[in-house]
Amino acid sequence: MSRKKIFLTEEKIKHRIEQLGKEISLAYLDQEVMVVGVLKGAFIFMADLVRSLTIPVKVDFVAVSSYGFSSQSSGVVQIIKDTGQSITNKQVLIIEDIVDTGLTLHYLKERFLAREPKEVKICTLLDKPARREVPLKADYVGFVVPDAFLVGYGLDYQEKYRNLRDIFIIEV
Ligand code: IMP
Ligand code: MG
């Protein structure tokens, strides 16, 4: 059993998501957005965020693997599941749990842009800028976090802890 320390409570996360929902709804005002969640980590954040949006949304998912079974990035990004709908001419909002090195979203964004969407924006619950390896700026950020390994609320360590309601720092 690894040691965990609470970092963000369920209440804090909920409050921040309500703010993000308002901010994003205002920015898109009556325009339709194609919300694309990055599995698996973003599934809980995405479920809460889309319910805080008051604009028309379509929902899709991609699954990407960049870490394998370790807490260190291999730097290799692999698409395991692509979007089921076309993103051409759509306003795409990618939803991610955490931006770390930036490699995953850098790759995904480039790949999406090649399909000629109207635009591609990024919303991440957590941003760990200290570990960035490629320049990647998210358009909407829930919380800027320190260089520590976080679990809970969708985030895993070796596929565990995704179901925790709060976010914890874990010693790995
Ligand atoms: P990046 O490509 O290095 O930006 O990594 C993005 C992915 O790495 C995220 O979608 C997470 O799945 C995973 N990741 C990065 N940092 C953490 C963390 O602190 N806890 C859990 N997963 C993480
Ligand atoms: Mg992830």
Side-chain angles (χ1 to χ4, degrees):
M1 185 65 181
S2 317
R3 286 227 330 245
K4 333 194 232 47
K5 196 169 75 198
I6 193 141
F7 181 67
L8 288 170
T9 61
E10 182 180 11
E11 288 71 28
K12 263 200 174 162
I13 298 167
K14 188 167 179 263
H15 179 68
R16 184 67 187 117
I17 290 176
E18 276 161 19
Q19 292 178 331
L20 277 176
K22 284 186 187 145
E23 189 185 341
I24 293 169
S25 300
L26 202 62
Y28 287 92
L29 210 64
D30 293 334
Q31 301 171 69
E32 187 181 272
V33 184
M34 167 91 68
V35 179
V36 180
V38 183
L39 293 171
K40 293 177 267 194
F43 80 117
I44 293 178
F45 173 45
M46 168 115 157
D48 285 341
L49 184 72
V50 292
R51 284 178 292 178
S52 77
L53 297 176
T54 53
I55 45 172
V57 298
K58 284 185 176 169
V59 165
D60 213 324
F61 290 97
V62 290
V64 182
S65 157
S66 60
Y67 275 54
F69 225 61
S70 105
S71 64
Q72 288 293 305
S73 174
S74 60
V76 180
V77 182
Q78 214 187 332
I79 294 215
I80 296 165
K81 182 223 168 292
D82 212 331
T83 56
Q85 306 159 68
S86 164
I87 64 166
T88 303
N89 263 313
K90 301 276 164 56
Q91 309 216 87
V92 178
L93 182 63
I94 302 178
I95 309 293
E96 178 62 301
D97 54 354
I98 184 165
V99 184
D100 187 30
T101 63
L103 288 164
T104 305
L105 284 187
H106 179 78
Y107 173 82
L108 252 190
K109 193 173 177 180
E110 289 303 308
R111 200 170 146 142
F112 278 9
L113 284 172
R115 300 175 188 173
E116 302 184 346
K118 215 176 268 170
E119 69 172 20
V120 177
K121 290 203 167 171
I122 293 169
C123 174
T124 185
L125 178 64
L126 308 174
D127 187 5
K128 213 191 275 182
R131 297 213 347 131
R132 209 64 105 246
E133 287 176 20
V134 287
L136 193 287
K137 218 178 140 350
D139 301 276
Y140 303 97
V141 174
F143 303 91
V144 175
V145 300
D147 183 7
F149 204 79
L150 302 163
V151 295
Y153 197 74
L155 292 110
D156 75 305
Y157 174 61
Q158 296 187 344
E159 293 301 329
K160 287 189 298 187
Y161 310 118
R162 293 193 197 273
N163 59 317
L164 302 179
R165 291 175 176 269
D166 309 291
I167 293 178
F168 298 82
I169 289 182
I170 193 172
E171 282 170 22
V172 295

